[in-house]
Amino acid sequence: MSELPPLNTETIQAIIDEKIDDNTVNQLVWYYLGYRYDDATGNWDASKVAPEWREEYPEPPNFIEFRPPTVKLTRSIPKENKQLLKQKLGFKGYKIGEFTPTQARRATMANWLLSYMEIAHKSATN
């Protein structure tokens, strides 16, 4: 995997603004889900991935190209974190008919990463 940008609100905004390429956005989500690529073996290590992901996706799914893993990602965001893009970044969403499936999936991925950050922050302060 290539070097990933830091997980912060600037990166999340860059995902929404399509300033980060699709492959890197996928890699960010894979990393925080726990997937690691082993250069020595050429295989994915999913040992740190939660069982509900590892069982269905032993290798990281392409969230940009395929809807089912993105739906699973959406469902994994805690209810209290569903609106974080609006609350933290002022994201107004897309207008019906003016966005692509890729943009919608990128927004889901950005919201999941923001939720991950929120949960990690709460864990660190407790």
Side-chain angles (χ1 to χ4, degrees), residues 5 22 35 55 66 74-75 78 82 86 96 100 104 114 123 125:
D22 291 348
Y35 292 98
E55 290 165 12
F66 302 106
T74 299
R75 290 179 179 153
K82 297 274 187 194
K86 290 179 184 178
I96 299 294
T100 66
L114 206 50
S123 295
T125 57

Side-chain angles (χ1 to χ4, degrees), residues 16-85:
I16 294 294
D17 295 340
E18 299 181 80
K19 294 180 179 173
I20 297 177
D21 67 271
D22 291 348
N23 190 47
T24 302
V25 178
N26 265 321
Q27 288 180 22
L28 271 167
V29 176
W30 297 342
Y31 182 83
Y32 290 103
L33 279 171
Y35 292 98
R36 298 295 183 271
Y37 188 75
D38 185 338
D39 286 319
T41 65
N43 294 315
W44 285 96
D45 175 4
S47 61
K48 293 183 173 128
V49 176
E52 63 270 14
W53 280 95
R54 186 175 54 239
E55 290 165 12
E56 194 168 348
Y57 300 103
E59 291 192 356
N62 187 329
F63 293 101
I64 298 290
E65 289 187 19
F66 302 106
R67 185 174 179 272
T70 309
V71 171
K72 185 176 181 78
L73 201 64
T74 299
R75 290 179 179 153
S76 73
I77 299 170
K79 185 176 182 176
E80 64 273 13
N81 292 351
K82 297 274 187 194
Q83 299 297 317
L84 285 178
L85 283 179

Side-chain angles (χ1 to χ4, degrees), residues 2-16:
S2 61
E3 189 164 324
L4 298 175
L7 185 57
N8 56 35
T9 54
E10 290 80 17
T11 297
I12 303 296
Q13 187 65 55
I15 291 169
I16 294 294

